[in-house]
Amino acid sequence: MTIRHPIIASTVEDLRRSVGQWRADGQSVGLVPTMGALHAGHLSLVEAARRRVQKVVVSIFVNPAQFAPNEDFDAYPRTFEDDLRKLRPYDVEAVFAPNATHMYPEGFATRIEVGGPSQGLESAFRPHFFSGVATVVTKLLLAVQPDIAFFGEKDYQQYLVVRRMARDLMIPCEIAGVPTVREADGLALSSRNVYLTKGQRAIAPRLNGELRAVANAVRAGCNARKALEAARHAIDEAGFRLDYLELRHAETLEPLHDSAADSSGEFSRSSPPKRLLVAAWLGSTRLIDNIAV
């Protein structure tokens, strides 16, 4: 099979010309939004899109609206040519790679605010983040008008926020979650993993290990509050600086109040679906992860 080089579109107008032709031909379209620095996690989204739609668009845009002034926008990895090389075996039809001026021209004055699953967790530490994500994702969905957009479950809260936003705004697009891709030792793949030193990289899998320990304890009927407390202590002792480790309702991310557990802190089989979510710093690198319970 001959591998096509994708169309590289730097403006919405260029992109819409291609998408419009596909639509006229009756073909389905999928969107994989990324900030580049592609790794196997991103490519799993492309694989999922390739299975479900006829035309795949990958966006590559480091979105300044989701970075606070003290965060790593300038240092965020930008590897466009390498990203294109990694995408070629997947035969994607288009790469949308706008610049910041095109996405946020002079006078831009609109932001999307999402409640519901955006409350707490990441918002407690990055209050600007989900508004920036919601705004850029809305712009991407309007630019591409895909049938399906694919988001990694590694950023589980982000996935739920985007799904809620699309429903609330009646955007006619399915928001599909794709399972987290991990290294052999359990570390969730992230573009920011490149920031880890060799010593930090050896410690980093402990975060997922503690998640799995809590999940196993809860599934076994142990006291959830005690399991969380033990894991928080272990994460601290391993050298992380913990932002949060929480057990939440898997669909809404609402806290699981004591009423969801019995007097001993144990959850019954009929309790709501649950998700464990964690964020912690290892040196100057912030890692996030989550697993179903």
Side-chain angles (χ1 to χ4, degrees):
M1 181 180 69
T2 301
I3 297 176
R4 294 189 298 269
H5 291 283
I7 297 163
I8 310 296
S10 59
T11 69
V12 171
E13 294 74 19
D14 289 344
L15 181 65
R16 284 177 175 164
R17 277 193 287 273
S18 296
V19 174
Q21 185 58 59
W22 302 337
R23 291 290 186 200
D25 293 341
Q27 296 177 304
S28 58
V29 179
L31 169 65
V32 178
T34 83
M35 293 205 302
L38 302 184
H39 52 63
H42 298 109
L43 299 177
S44 74
L45 305 182
V46 178
E47 290 175 344
R50 190 78 281 170
R51 290 192 295 268
R52 294 196 58 191
V53 298
Q54 293 163 299
K55 300 292 184 181
V56 177
V57 178
V58 176
S59 65
I60 297 177
F61 178 62
V62 183
N63 176 36
Q66 67 193 63
F67 289 80
N70 63 331
E71 293 184 333
D72 61 341
F73 174 73
D74 289 334
Y76 195 87
R78 290 164 171 83
T79 57
F80 187 70
E81 292 303 322
D82 190 52
D83 292 342
L84 293 182
R85 181 185 61 78
K86 290 177 180 177
L87 287 172
R88 286 189 185 111
Y90 297 89
D91 212 15
V92 303
E93 280 72 24
V95 171
F96 181 42
N99 61 33
T101 302
H102 183 70
M103 293 296 281
Y104 300 108
E106 184 177 357
F108 186 87
T110 301
R111 286 178 74 92
I112 303 293
E113 299 288 345
V114 182
S118 76
Q119 302 304 300
L121 300 172
E122 286 297 291
S123 290
F125 297 89
R126 306 180 71 197
H128 60 285
F129 178 67
F130 287 122
S131 176
V133 168
T135 300
V136 78
V137 170
T138 299
K139 290 174 71 68
L140 291 172
L141 293 177
L142 291 173
V144 181
Q145 299 181 10
D147 297 283
I148 313 171
F150 298 83
F151 290 81
E153 291 185 2
K154 197 270 287 185
D155 299 286
Y156 188 76
Q157 188 176 14
Q158 173 180 276
Y159 159 60
L160 291 190
V161 166
V162 171
R163 192 176 69 175
R164 180 77 268 165
M165 178 195 72
R167 289 176 181 173
D168 289 353
L169 298 182
M170 294 182 284
I171 298 173
C173 174
E174 176 188 343
I175 305 299
V178 179
T180 303
V181 177
R182 301 183 180 279
E183 300 281 6
D185 57 11
L187 179 65
L189 293 188
S190 168
S191 298
R192 289 186 169 96
N193 289 351
V194 299
Y195 299 159
L196 296 169
T197 67
K198 184 177 180 180
Q200 291 166 347
R201 177 60 186 81
I203 296 169
R206 288 285 300 276
L207 205 60
N208 180 254
E210 293 303 325
L211 280 183
R212 288 187 285 106
V214 176
N216 290 337
V218 173
R219 292 180 191 127
C222 297
N223 185 295
R225 288 186 291 275
K226 290 183 179 179
L228 286 166
E229 289 170 5
R232 289 173 185 135
H233 178 73
I235 289 169
D236 181 67
E237 288 293 302
F240 295 88
R241 176 165 56 85
L242 186 66
D243 277 354
Y244 60 80
L245 170 60
E246 299 288 343
L247 182 64
R248 295 294 183 95
H249 190 296
E251 290 298 313
T252 66
L253 294 187
E254 292 178 357
L256 290 171
H257 298 293
D258 290 345
S259 59
D262 63 24
S263 59
S264 67
E266 298 174 8
F267 291 92
S268 70
R269 293 184 182 276
S270 62
S271 65
K274 295 172 284 296
R275 200 90 180 185
L276 276 165
L277 303 101
V278 67
W281 292 86
L282 193 54
S284 62
T285 304
R286 190 171 186 268
L287 303 175
I288 66 172
D289 202 351
N290 69 89
I291 59 174
V293 178

